[in-house]
């Protein structure tokens, strides 16, 4: 099916009516997020993140390449994400819908342009060899808010990944196998988290915004505001493409809520990574 | 009985054999007809052995005649309405297929209305056709437009369970608060209660009892309802 039919009139009226009474269809509070579940794979840098029924798989890969001549001292990071029909019926590979373009651009801004990864640490031999880190994201299922799930999966995969240790003597580069020397984590400046809020018609008359919209809420929203920030209260990206106009006070309140959620997410991610690392057996002979 | 995959042969034998959903009769080269399954599931039959069918679960609806479904009106093409019932093709509903409808007196449907209709014609390569009245009596019998309320999607097995009069869920919920519901065999259930939080409670119970989403049993649902505010 190329495009899903828009929701029926009873569904629309019910959702708007319930939101006026601060009731959500899945029983969550208005500013409550679904608890993310992180599953790490056997390889380092492979993580599946699920927010309720929305699932995204992220994988990080690294190889050494020759850097472009205009930036000889920095590594390269590329993000590849594609929405296949596995996510939902309406996505087709090759034809990028508006939603897919928004997700790709937001991922680029949050994970690459915010300088989360220290690119200078990826340089091995200036002008000759740098690391090219490739992050691939697959959306497995769409039950609303794929963007937050994808950003979370991406940043956790980058934190989980370990690249092989490299020794440089003069002009000679020796790449050590993970079984000889323990692989090294990527150097991250900060950890951005993305949080999406949905707004509905007549928000000034009393329908408050909703955090982490489900599929039906996302389709019926009159506007979406995505805020990406880290646990140190530093804003990375604020994206609002069209939609219902918002007064500045509302935006400031939203950012405050986002700061709190980002802190909670940070604690959750750190705990999950620690537990996984403790259970992993990285032998160094 | 036994679990089968699509394409397996099923030993269905009877003088007055009737094949239900999921079974197909093919004639082999040597003239003897064989019965094979077209869906994955458990092979079931009545006590007498004359009706056989496959009981399985899925979410994608395949239309079959005489089934009651819930559809969403997509567009209008001339006198007919195109309705989405969740199948591979959109269904078509004649504008006059309602009780007491004449050329001058037609029901006023809009794009996005919900309908409870009966599948009158369904072949695998054609568009299915719907009608909003009972074929014999030409009366509405509950079919027609559904106003208000909310729609929830569930698996096909769950719909069949909800239509079973001995299933526990609706009597349990109906004892707590009045509710009106229409169950479509295409995986959609329409619910209408007096208060939004009651409707939301019903939706969450249906999703919890769904075999796809965990399959809660009666005591667990009672406990779950206790945590909700109804």
């Amino acid at each position: 099916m190329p495009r899903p039919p828009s929701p029926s009139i009873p569904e629309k009226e019910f959702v708007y009516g319930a939101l006026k009474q601060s009731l959500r269809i899945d029983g969550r509070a208005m500013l409550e997020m679904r608890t993310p579940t992180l599953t790490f794979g056997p390889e380092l840098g492979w993580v599946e993140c699920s927010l309720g029924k929305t699932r995204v798989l992220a994988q990080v890969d690294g190889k050494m390449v020759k850097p472009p001549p205009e930036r000889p001292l920095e590594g390269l990071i590329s993000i590849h994400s594609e929405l296949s029909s596995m996510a939902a019926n309406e996505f087709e590979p090759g034809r990028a819908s508006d939603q897919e373009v928004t997700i790709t651009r937001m991922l680029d801004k949050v994970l690459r342009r915010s300088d989360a990864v220290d690119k200078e640490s990826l340089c091995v031999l200036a002008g000759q060899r740098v690391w090219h880190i490739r992050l691939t994201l697959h959306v497995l299922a769409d039950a609303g808010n794929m963007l937050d799930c994808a950003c979370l999966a991406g940043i956790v995969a980058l934190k989980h990944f370990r690249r092989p240790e490299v020794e440089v003597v003069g002009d000679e580069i020796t790449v050590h196998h993970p079984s000889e020397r323990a692989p090294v984590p990527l150097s991250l400046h900060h950890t951005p988290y993305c949080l999406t809020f949905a707004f509905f018609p007549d928000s000034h008359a009393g329908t408050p915004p909703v955090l982490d919209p489900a599929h039906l809420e996302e389709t019926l929203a009159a506007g979406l505001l995505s805020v990406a920030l880290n646990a140190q209260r530093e804003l990375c990206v604020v994206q609002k493409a069209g939609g219902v106009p918002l007064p500045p006070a509302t935006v400031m309140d939203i950012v405050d809520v986002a700061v709190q959620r980002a802190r909670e997410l940070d604690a959750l991610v750190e705990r999950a990574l620690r537990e996984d690392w403790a259970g992993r057996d990285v032998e160094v002979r | 009985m036994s679990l089968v995959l699509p394409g397996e042969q099923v030993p269905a034998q009877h003088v007055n054999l009737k094949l239900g959903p999921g079974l197909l009769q093919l004639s082999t080269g040597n003239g003897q007809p064989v019965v094979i399954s077209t869906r994955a599931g458990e092979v079931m039959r009545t006590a007498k052995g004359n009706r056989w069918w496959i009981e399985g679960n899925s979410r994608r609806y395949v239309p079959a005649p005489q089934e009651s479904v819930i559809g969403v009106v997509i567009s209008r093409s001339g006198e007919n309405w195109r309705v989405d019932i969740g199948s591979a093709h959109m269904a078509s509903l004649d504008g006059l297929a309602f009780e007491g409808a004449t050329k001058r007196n037609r029901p006023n449907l809009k794009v996005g209305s919900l309908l409870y209709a009966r599948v009158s014609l369904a072949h695998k390569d054609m568009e299915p056709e719907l009608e909003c009245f009972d074929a014999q009596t030409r009366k509405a019998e509950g079919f027609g437009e559904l106003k208000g309320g909310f729609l929830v999607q569930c698996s096909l097995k769950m719909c069949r369970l909800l239509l079973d009069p001995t299933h526990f869920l609706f009597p349990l919920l109906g004892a707590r608060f009045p509710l009106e519901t229409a169950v479509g065999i295409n995986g959609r259930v329409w619910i209408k209660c007096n208060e939004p939080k009651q409707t939301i409670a019903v939706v969450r119970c249906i999703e919890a009892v769904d075999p796809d989403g965990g399959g809660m049993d009666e005591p667990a649902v009672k406990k779950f309802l206790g945590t909700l505010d109804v």
Side-chain angles (χ1 to χ4, degrees), chain B residues 173-193:
Chain B
L173 293 168
R176 284 187 174 234
F177 45 80
L179 71 95
E180 192 183 338
T181 173
V183 179
I185 207 133
N186 56 340
R188 297 177 183 183
V189 183
W190 174 81
I191 303 156
K192 186 169 177 180
C193 302

Side-chain angles (χ1 to χ4, degrees), chain A residues 1 5-15 17-18 21 23-28 53 89 216, chain B residues 60 72 74 84 87 90 110-114 146-151 190 196-197 199-200 203-204:
Chain A
M1 250 174 267
S6 40
S8 57
I9 296 174
E11 282 176 294
K12 227 186 290 202
E13 287 175 359
F14 182 78
V15 169
Q21 298 184 16
L23 292 169
R24 288 174 81 168
I25 304 299
D26 45 10
R28 284 186 278 157
K53 290 201 178 141
N89 246 336
L216 192 58
Chain B
R60 170 66 76 176
V72 181
I74 304 284
D84 164 48
S87 59
M90 300 286 154
K110 287 199 280 280
V111 171
S113 318
L114 271 183
L146 296 166
K147 295 201 167 91
F150 187 62
L151 185 72
W190 174 81
K197 60 178 184 191
T199 314
I200 291 177
V203 168
R204 290 181 74 190

Side-chain angles (χ1 to χ4, degrees), chain B residues 95-166:
Chain B
L96 294 172
F98 292 82
E99 178 186 357
T102 60
K103 281 212 172 119
R104 297 196 184 182
N105 174 21
R106 252 189 268 249
N108 186 17
L109 290 180
K110 287 199 280 280
V111 171
S113 318
L114 271 183
L115 294 169
Y116 196 60
R118 226 177 91 258
V119 179
S120 59
L121 184 72
H123 289 294
K124 72 181 166 103
D125 301 310
M126 266 166 63
E127 263 187 16
E129 283 180 20
L130 305 175
E131 52 189 22
C132 273
F133 51 57
D134 188 72
Q136 269 93 42
T137 65
R138 310 284 297 190
K139 285 200 178 295
E141 307 284 349
F143 295 115
E145 190 182 349
L146 296 166
K147 295 201 167 91
F150 187 62
L151 185 72
V152 65
Q153 313 249 6
C154 59
S155 67
L156 302 185
K157 179 96 185 264
M158 185 62 190
C159 295
R160 294 196 288 262
L161 285 175
L162 287 174
L163 283 169
D164 184 2
T166 59

